[in-house]
Amino acid sequence: MAPYRYKALRNGEIRLLDLSAGETSSQLSCRIVHCSIDDPPLFEALSYTWGPPGDSHTISCDNEDICVTVNLKSALLRLRSPVLQRKLWIDQICINQDELQERNEQVALMGDIYRKAQQVLIWLGEEDEDSRFGLNYVQILLAELQPVFDNGLGEIKFSDLIKALGMPAIKGGAWNALGRIFERTWFRRLWVVQEAALAAVATVMCGSQTVPWQDLVKVCQCQVGSHDPEHEAHSSMLAIETQRERHERRLQSPFINILLLCSDFNCTDPRDKIFGLLGLTTDAGDPMLAPDYSLSVQEVYGKVTRFLMTRDKSLAVLGDVKEPKSLQGLPTWTPDWSIPLATQKTLGSRFRGRYDAAQSTQASVQFSDDLRTLFLDGVVVDSIYALGDILLSLPFHHLKILPQWESMVQSAQPYPTGEDSTTVLWRMLIADNGIRGVKSDQYHRDLYDSWHNINERNFSAVK
């Protein structure tokens, strides 16, 4: 058969896939229909991972051939009903991936698509021994724990509760099988955040097994903080659930917070670190955030940074800039969102909300004609009169640096706040974190004194 030829979409239209009924052994067959996103028929949307791009199969679509990845073909075989046609939205088929302008327009509609779907079907892949064992255990576990979820856990630890009920220990075989389910690639894919978070109803599929999304969420809550590091992938699911709860409660999240929360999720195209999350923000309609795959990654990240500065009249986004960057060619004031947050050490991402030196003042922001230079108005607060050496991750290096820093702080006395040099130093070392007050100050001062005394003894020992 000839390759499938897409018909152009009109403004506000999407495609839906009518998956024909068939027996397990019969060839997959489907047809594509157009409809308005404002008034679509009942349909289900698929959330899945594409899988390796070079490994594909053809299926029959309107008597023409259309290529799909192996993982999608497996999902379609499981989704196909033996007697009824099924209406689905699947990005790989319903978007003409070769038409750049269409991709831009359809990606901008994806938030609405997943919101309007009757159900979102989450395909984790084919089942194996672990998934069968783990998902069967989910039903047993929830049957025992449902009264606890209904009444609230209170101060009881899940591990103690599991032990009291005589159920397998959290690090036992069934729990390990569950942990390996959460390690599947779906839980690390960035696009799934909005796909699951916006769903009216979400059902998880693994081979022939299905389980409601909320049941898996409850299992995740049992496992948090009680599993080995290699089984911590379920934390991604809880990040998705956070966005889902905010959506259900109609709470708005600043786009910059969504970017940070989802920074550890993966996507093949770094531009999708922005475009793949637009369905979660009310800012999605702003032209500055419109998906545009004709732009380079650097141009996309620059546009988002300029949007956040000018819209909010705030420089908070500068707190997320880290050097060195992974992407070459980014302006110094533009964060590299392709880097996972876990690998970044910036005050902005770690302590956002704790510092507010500017208070209610608004930033005056301008950019050069080539959009690479940022111009700001500022207030001169103080002058730097000396620089200390950088603390390196070398054995005993802190024993050399600490006395130098102490000497520099002492030479700056009297300090403008009236605080003594030791207090100034320990507050600087912890980025002035913690609650100010007599008890808090004394606690941190005691910790610093103990650390200082240990360093002095070690310094004497290595001299």
Side-chain angles (χ1 to χ4, degrees):
M1 288 187 287
Y4 186 79
R5 293 165 293 180
Y6 284 94
K7 295 187 175 84
L9 290 168
R10 290 196 288 255
N11 187 39
E13 274 192 339
I14 62 171
R15 296 185 184 92
L16 292 176
L17 179 76
D18 285 337
L19 181 61
S20 302
E23 298 298 331
T24 305
S25 58
S26 62
Q27 183 182 4
L28 285 167
S29 178
C30 61
R31 70 186 186 96
I32 287 178
V33 296
H34 293 198
C35 67
S36 169
I37 185 61
D38 295 326
D39 187 26
L42 293 178
F43 71 97
E44 299 166 296
L46 185 65
S47 177
Y48 68 110
T49 60
W50 280 37
D55 199 2
S56 62
H57 287 266
T58 59
I59 63 172
S60 174
C61 185
D62 292 323
N63 296 318
E64 295 179 336
D65 281 341
I66 194 166
C67 286
V68 298
T69 59
V70 172
N71 191 44
L72 176 53
K73 182 180 180 182
S74 296
L76 291 171
L77 288 169
R78 293 289 187 179
L79 288 168
R80 180 173 57 181
S81 165
V83 292
L84 297 175
Q85 179 179 271
R86 199 162 191 172
K87 197 175 292 289
L88 303 164
W89 188 89
I90 304 171
D91 60 350
Q92 195 176 142
I93 297 175
C94 295
I95 299 176
N96 183 356
Q97 302 294 331
D98 296 326
E99 180 57 47
L100 191 63
Q101 185 56 34
E102 180 178 308
R103 280 179 64 200
N104 294 340
E105 295 168 357
Q106 292 293 294
V107 166
L109 293 175
M110 283 180 66
D112 288 334
I113 291 170
Y114 280 90
R115 264 188 292 267
K116 294 187 175 188
Q118 183 182 23
Q119 177 178 212
V120 172
L121 303 162
I122 297 170
W123 172 252
L124 301 184
E126 285 297 343
E127 60 196 79
D128 58 22
E129 186 176 348
D130 276 333
S131 67
R132 287 190 289 271
F133 186 23
L135 292 179
N136 287 336
Y137 186 59
V138 167
Q139 306 308 320
I140 298 172
L141 177 68
L142 294 182
E144 294 286 345
L145 294 181
Q146 192 58 51
V148 177
F149 287 114
D150 291 341
N151 299 320
L153 190 62
E155 298 298 321
I156 306 172
K157 291 183 179 179
F158 269 113
S159 55
D160 295 337
L161 183 61
I162 294 295
K163 184 177 180 180
L165 291 172
M167 303 181 74
I170 286 184
K171 291 192 177 184
W175 291 96
N176 289 338
L178 277 170
R180 283 187 281 274
I181 291 173
F182 295 127
E183 290 174 355
R184 291 193 175 219
T185 55
W186 183 91
F187 294 98
R188 293 298 189 193
R189 179 176 174 258
L190 180 126
W191 283 99
V192 308
V193 180
Q194 71 172 10
E195 293 168 359
L198 300 177
V201 178
T203 301
V204 179
M205 302 175 59
C206 191
S208 62
Q209 294 180 288
T210 62
V211 61
W213 168 268
Q214 291 302 326
D215 285 358
L216 277 192
V217 170
K218 292 173 183 176
V219 171
C220 282
Q221 292 169 344
C222 297
Q223 289 189 298
V224 169
S226 59
H227 234 285
D228 297 329
E230 61 266 31
H231 296 308
E232 287 296 321
H234 59 268
S235 62
S236 298
M237 187 171 184
L238 296 182
I240 298 171
E241 180 62 15
T242 297
Q243 289 302 313
R244 181 176 170 83
E245 290 176 354
R246 292 189 67 84
H247 173 67
E248 288 182 345
R249 295 164 61 189
R250 300 184 183 277
L251 298 176
Q252 296 185 11
S253 294
F255 192 45
I256 190 171
N257 290 359
I258 296 173
L259 290 174
L260 291 171
L261 178 69
C262 301
S263 69
D264 291 341
F265 288 86
N266 301 325
C267 54
T268 304
D269 188 335
R271 293 171 294 190
D272 289 337
K273 282 292 185 90
I274 307 298
F275 301 153
L277 299 172
L278 291 177
L280 297 172
T281 175
T282 54
D283 298 325
D286 193 287
M288 287 283 283
L289 295 182
D292 186 350
Y293 286 96
S294 69
L295 299 178
S296 67
V297 182
Q298 290 82 352
E299 289 173 315
V300 171
Y301 287 8
K303 280 186 69 174
V304 173
T305 305
R306 295 195 304 275
F307 167 80
L308 293 170
M309 287 184 185
T310 55
R311 194 278 307 270
D312 298 335
K313 292 183 171 57
S314 168
L315 304 180
V317 68
L318 295 181
D320 301 319
V321 176
K322 177 183 179 293
E323 295 290 347
K325 296 182 171 76
S326 173
L327 283 173
Q328 300 300 313
L330 284 174
T332 56
W333 43 268
T334 301
D336 184 352
W337 281 294
S338 69
I339 303 175
L341 179 62
T343 66
Q344 300 186 46
K345 297 178 181 178
T346 64
L347 289 179
S349 56
R350 292 181 61 205
F351 300 114
R352 174 166 287 120
R354 298 186 187 180
Y355 307 127
D356 189 20
Q359 297 185 358
S360 60
T361 59
Q362 294 184 334
S364 173
V365 180
Q366 294 182 2
F367 302 92
S368 60
D369 291 340
D370 65 359
L371 301 176
R372 296 197 59 82
T373 304
L374 168 65
F375 298 99
L376 300 171
D377 292 337
V379 177
V380 177
V381 177
D382 209 339
S383 300
I384 297 173
Y385 79 96
L387 291 173
D389 292 336
I390 297 174
L391 179 61
L392 304 176
S393 300
L394 298 174
F396 306 113
H397 192 248
H398 64 288
L399 301 180
K400 173 186 175 183
I401 295 300
L402 183 60
Q404 181 199 81
W405 289 356
E406 287 180 321
S407 176
M408 290 180 62
V409 174
Q410 288 169 1
S411 68
Q413 291 297 305
Y415 199 70
T417 63
E419 293 169 302
D420 63 87
S421 61
T422 302
T423 301
V424 171
L425 181 57
W426 69 250
R427 283 198 177 281
M428 180 275 293
L429 292 174
I430 64 170
D432 203 18
N433 193 21
I435 302 173
R436 284 182 176 268
V438 176
K439 291 184 179 180
S440 176
D441 284 4
Q442 189 59 50
Y443 170 74
H444 285 97
R445 177 64 179 262
D446 291 344
L447 286 177
Y448 173 79
D449 288 342
S450 299
W451 181 63
H452 182 275
N453 292 336
I454 292 172
N455 285 336
E456 278 197 328
R457 289 198 296 271
N458 288 340
F459 187 65
S460 299
V462 299
K463 279 200 301 187

